[in-house]
Amino acid sequence: MLTMAGLEVSQIQRLGAGLEGVVVAKVLRKDQHPNADRLSVVLLDRGGETLTVVCGATNFQAGDLVALATVGSTLPGGKRIEAATLRGVQSFGMLCSEAELGIGTGASGLFLVPASASPGTPLQEALGLDDVILELNVTPNRGDALSHLGIAREVAALQGSALKVKEAPSFQTAAPASGRVRIQIEDATRCWRYCAKVVEDVAVGPSPSWLIQRLDSCGMRGINNVVDVTNYVMLEAGHPLHAFDLDAVRGGTIVLRTARAQERITTLDQVDRALASDDLVVCDGAGPLVIAGVLGGATAEVSTSTRHILLEAAAFCPSTVRRSRKRHGLATESSFRFERGIDIDAIPRILDRAASLLVEIAGGRVLSGTIDAYPTERPRRTVVLRDQAASDVLGMPVGRAEANRVLNALGFKEIESHGDAVRWSIPSFRNDVAIEEDLVEEIARIRGYDAIPITPLRTLMPRAGGEARASVEEVLRASMCGLGFDEVVNYSFVSPSVLEAAHCGAGAIRIANPLSTELSAMRTSLIPSLIGNLIRATRYGAQGIRIFELAKTYASRSADQGGDTPASERLSLCGLLWGRPSGERNWIESRATVDFYDAKAAVETILRALRVSNPKFIPHEGLLFHPRRAAGVQVGETSLGVLGELHPEVRDALQAPAGTHLFELDVTRLRAHARTVDKAQALQRFPSVLRDLAVVVDAATPAERVRTLILEAGKGLLARAEVFDVYAGSKLGEGKKSLAFALTYEAKDRTLQEEEVAEVHGEIVAKIGTQLGGTLRGSPSEASP
Amino acid sequence: MQDETKRIADEAASLLREAKTREEIEAVRVRFFGRKGQISLLLGQLGKIAPGERKAAGAAINAVKAELDSAIAEANAGLRRATVDAELREGAIDVTLPGRARFQGHRHPISQALAAVRSIFEKMGFEVIDGPEIETDFYNFEALNFAPDHPARDMQDTFVIDPTTLGSTGAKGPVVLRTHTSPVQIRAMLRSKPPLRVIAPGRVYRRDSDQTHSPMFTQVEGLYVDRGVTFSELKGTLSAFSAALFGSRTKTRFRPSFFPFTEPSAEVDVSCVFCTGTGCRVCKGTGWLEILGSGMVHPNVLRGCGYDSSDIRGFAFGLGIERVAMLLFDIEDIRNLFENDHRFIAQF
């Protein structure tokens, strides 16, 4: 029910779970075991029945109450209790220590049950463990739900029942509290209200066990009865309280002000802290006692020698508390509640409750009256709810009667109603409600979201742009997977030293508060991440790797580059190839490792998949790649990316294996040059003429240069020219190589004649001779060895 | 003449027996059928034969011609059979050896889950848009109705960018790694007029790392703003989405929650895909799995984007893709998704 009302129950814990078979038993007699020095035989009364148990502990005597695990029960540790005979004496059960019962750590002796219990009572009941703890995830808007009272209020509203709140008695004494201490608020923007009560002649000591038990159930430790009372009332009512040793409050004054320059405080956690001028502090006549709403100091702390108590309940500005909490790294139950907002109107009532509980537990007397410093009274907020509003937002009819029922149950008060609207007063504990939609949510929440009907999404929307954008990414992913690359997803942040080692450090954006230095620089390139993946793969013995990542890279940019984003972000496609061409040893594969042309094949496939026209591969000399084994990819003057073998220096710096090949492409630019099929090309109708051409050129002449020349010279008839063989050998002469091209001649409108092909072919050969000094292979002019 | 045809038949039969190649068979054919072949010569002599015998002679020549034709065809067929036999005999290979090894690429489970989610929303008419990951405090928090010192900011522990490394972009206020994809909502609304129906997938960052939290993860933001959009439509949209993603028998549950930029807000649970609601390890015995945060766009957010909040309403939602991948593929530890171990990714 709570979960469905927005107060998610994250855990349900049954106290005393596993203690079902354990009862309180009274020791009637304790005798030495006849056959064992260290054991005794204990006669027990378990409530109308007597039985004997053999026991090894010594910390008890006749008349004590002990915890008896009866035959057939199973202890929280999983131990099953059975009747047994120990050294000749029968034993019907087991007497347990705290540790065995799972209620504490004491294992050296038996757990002694407080004398108030009667024999035969289940232990759970005797210890108040017959209870259930609900752990709730309270969203940060619901400061009002951080207490038992707050949850009770929700449950009452959800069930339509009335909430009962105990009224605290008022106390009358001859001398009023106001005579004992003066309160002065110097900073009313940070301290909205400060109330105090005085309780005299208390006996500070340990709290009763029920109080400690309840605090413990809520995850708080017992300290002393005064502090415990303040904590208990905080849990009960949701308002943090503080108790001072009144005699230690110097000058009989409490001052609320911001800290002064150089001021320090030693907080209860024994840390000496420098205060900031933004910290609100609760001071006495001499100096700071408490960082307001966060944590108290050692001065005026309640101790066993304390006689008179000053009880404080205040309203501090939530953001002031939040900033102090963050500044000092002190998250406390108190700061948690102040940040989420408290009930400013409830403060006097809560102080009354705390004072009366304090007297009940620690004795003393409450001085009459509450000292109340409240510089500017906060008016109740009001919000108008139109009858139509809930129906409009929720998509279902909500009548005024229904809305009124829900809002009244939650403590909202109707102020006035017009024809089609009601003005509501917001209760002081609901700091989160400020607009009409908030009221609509309250109605929906309490009625249950299940009550809202399901309506299908209406009418289709026209789409534009987005689809093409996404589809380029899909084409890239599909192509890469088709090429055998596995997709990886790496963190966007990497180690700055790795970026530097890969010469990618320039313009890198850093995180001011990283999880670790290793994850502190936004990557400017995907390459270092993929090298990291490769190193990991080689560690477990991979013989070949092909991986890719499609993700953004980040770099700083100057304002004049335009755009409305704080940094330059570019989508990048990066691939890495290393090791065996097929990933594993294979009986039929002759190549041991991949090389540049495997990387290039991948890039060419991608360019073809996107129909990028006329990409050029140009030798690339940079610091990241081997300067003789790398290329830049360009279309016109636009660089699309780089590919090549990792530079040996970078390889060694990153401890990458030899033969690592990579490519990285700028997807934004790829997208700009990707083409769609606008017009299908008709098939060639007339037969093509195929000719081979092998030319000998200088070894340093790029094949592409020769090919370009061939295509230019063959213009008109030559449709394609592809390298099909590269050969270098002593036969050709020092510094020479032979390039063999397959040439395809064709014409769209006729069958080519031998003669016209021969003529063009001759022109090509001539041009290679004049422009590149190349010769036909096997021709008379070829240099002979 | 009879003798002559008999001799030809005998000679041809003997030559064809000797012929071992297609060329030799062809030579036999030419020898008898060629322009100066023996059959042609015989036919040439027909005119010299007495008219009375001519008919019989012609028949005899035709008979030997037919016999030769079929003998040559037979020889050719025999030769082809022999060749095929030899090809079959000698072409034996070991079919149990593995095929040429080839890499098989695998899509990362996050990208598979994202593709599945995106395709469902695209069919509902949501347009895919993108926004920056390094974002200003304004877009990430302020415009989404996070007050400067509100504890709601603690819901998302934030990575802050070192401003000295940013260059001179002129960004006002702190710059952060976006903690959610919601800032893309703001950018979309500031750019376009309603109606607007978009999803924005992308990486988001929170200072958090354990078995169920990664400092970087993937979200899909959804936004629909138009006249008269209702919470009921939000329920319809996300129920349909859950059923499309996890199966038509999936139940969807909406619970009140809190996000500063929506009002009312809802967490969306689906019935556990593993135990179908009876309670198991994955759903921690509850029978429900939390998969989405959602709500009606807060009027402050709409107004901040220049929309008339009395006329225009909208809903927004956010979905963690890693969570979806973990559910679709039963992955227990979110960190597996970012280790990029080939052995892990190759499963998908």
Side-chain angles (χ1 to χ4, degrees), chain B residues 8 18 81 139 159 163 183 190 205 222 241 254 273 309 312 315:
Chain B
I8 286 172
E18 298 299 310
R81 267 198 308 277
Y139 285 107
F159 285 113
L190 287 174
Y205 306 86
F241 164 74
F254 292 74
V273 295
S309 69
I312 295 295
F315 63 70

Side-chain angles (χ1 to χ4, degrees), chain A residues 314-619:
Chain A
F316 303 121
C317 166
S319 46
T320 300
V321 173
R322 179 181 162 83
R323 288 195 301 269
S324 291
R325 185 265 292 172
K326 294 190 91 161
R327 190 175 301 123
H328 298 290
L330 276 172
T332 60
E333 294 277 349
S334 166
S335 67
F336 193 83
R337 285 171 173 78
F338 277 120
E339 281 185 47
R340 282 153 181 76
I342 44 84
D343 182 354
I344 198 167
D345 289 5
I347 292 174
R349 197 183 70 230
I350 286 162
L351 265 183
D352 284 343
R353 162 66 179 151
S356 93
L357 186 63
L358 185 59
V359 173
E360 196 182 300
I361 281 165
R365 68 187 175 282
V366 183
L367 298 196
S368 56
T370 297
I371 312 166
D372 187 352
Y374 196 176
T376 317
E377 195 169 329
R378 308 224 144 212
R380 287 283 176 94
R381 272 193 311 279
T382 64
V383 175
V384 173
L385 179 66
R386 292 168 298 121
D387 289 344
Q388 195 55 37
S391 317
D392 282 351
V393 172
L394 301 178
M396 68 169 184
V398 178
R400 182 185 285 195
E402 178 64 8
N404 288 2
R405 186 189 63 76
V406 169
L407 293 175
N408 279 317
L410 286 168
F412 294 79
K413 297 273 178 295
E414 182 177 331
I415 300 179
E416 51 182 338
S417 81
H418 305 287
D420 58 355
V422 177
R423 178 174 291 277
W424 290 90
S425 162
I426 310 304
S428 54
F429 50 84
R430 289 304 299 270
N431 296 302
D432 58 320
V433 177
I435 58 172
E436 188 176 52
E437 279 77 3
D438 294 326
L439 294 179
V440 171
E441 180 175 60
E442 291 304 299
I443 295 164
R445 195 169 68 80
I446 298 302
R447 289 199 43 172
Y449 284 4
D450 280 348
I452 301 170
I454 285 179
T455 306
L457 189 60
R458 75 182 88 156
T459 59
L460 288 178
M461 297 277 294
R463 275 191 295 178
E467 195 181 13
R469 204 198 80 85
S471 75
V472 165
E473 289 168 39
E474 286 306 296
V475 167
L476 291 176
R477 283 201 172 88
S479 298
M480 292 306 291
C481 286
L483 285 161
F485 286 75
D486 279 335
E487 186 178 15
V488 293
V489 175
N490 286 292
Y491 288 152
S492 306
F493 23 66
V494 294
S495 159
S497 63
V498 167
L499 273 190
E500 291 294 339
H503 304 289
C504 299
I509 292 167
R510 302 283 189 100
I511 300 169
N513 58 340
L515 281 178
S516 71
T517 319
E518 296 301 297
L519 302 174
S520 67
M522 300 304 289
R523 53 185 178 171
T524 54
S525 159
L526 307 183
I527 286 175
S529 304
L530 268 71
I531 291 175
N533 301 145
L534 167 65
I535 291 169
R536 181 193 166 95
T538 56
R539 238 178 252 151
Y540 68 74
Q543 301 190 357
I545 280 293
R546 280 183 180 221
I547 46 176
F548 81 97
E549 184 166 10
L550 181 60
K552 285 183 176 176
T553 58
Y554 316 84
S556 62
R557 61 169 179 77
S558 52
D560 54 297
Q561 280 174 278
D564 62 344
T565 62
S568 158
E569 299 183 16
R570 301 196 71 88
L571 191 61
S572 175
L573 173 70
C574 184
L576 179 149
L577 314 81
W578 168 83
R580 295 198 170 270
S582 58
E584 56 197 50
R585 285 213 313 225
N586 187 258
W587 65 280
I588 202 167
E589 172 66 70
S590 54
R591 287 194 306 148
T593 56
V594 295
D595 57 27
F596 175 86
Y597 300 103
D598 290 295
K600 187 169 177 183
V603 172
E604 286 170 330
T605 305
I606 289 158
L607 296 173
R608 273 197 294 272
L610 295 177
R611 300 182 195 88
V612 174
S613 48
N614 296 323
K616 297 273 177 247
F617 290 80
I618 292 157

Side-chain angles (χ1 to χ4, degrees), chain B residues 222-238:
Chain B
L223 174 73
Y224 175 40
V225 275
D226 203 344
R227 282 205 171 77
V229 176
T230 65
F231 194 98
S232 180
E233 257 178 304
L234 167 68
K235 282 187 76 173
T237 305
L238 296 181

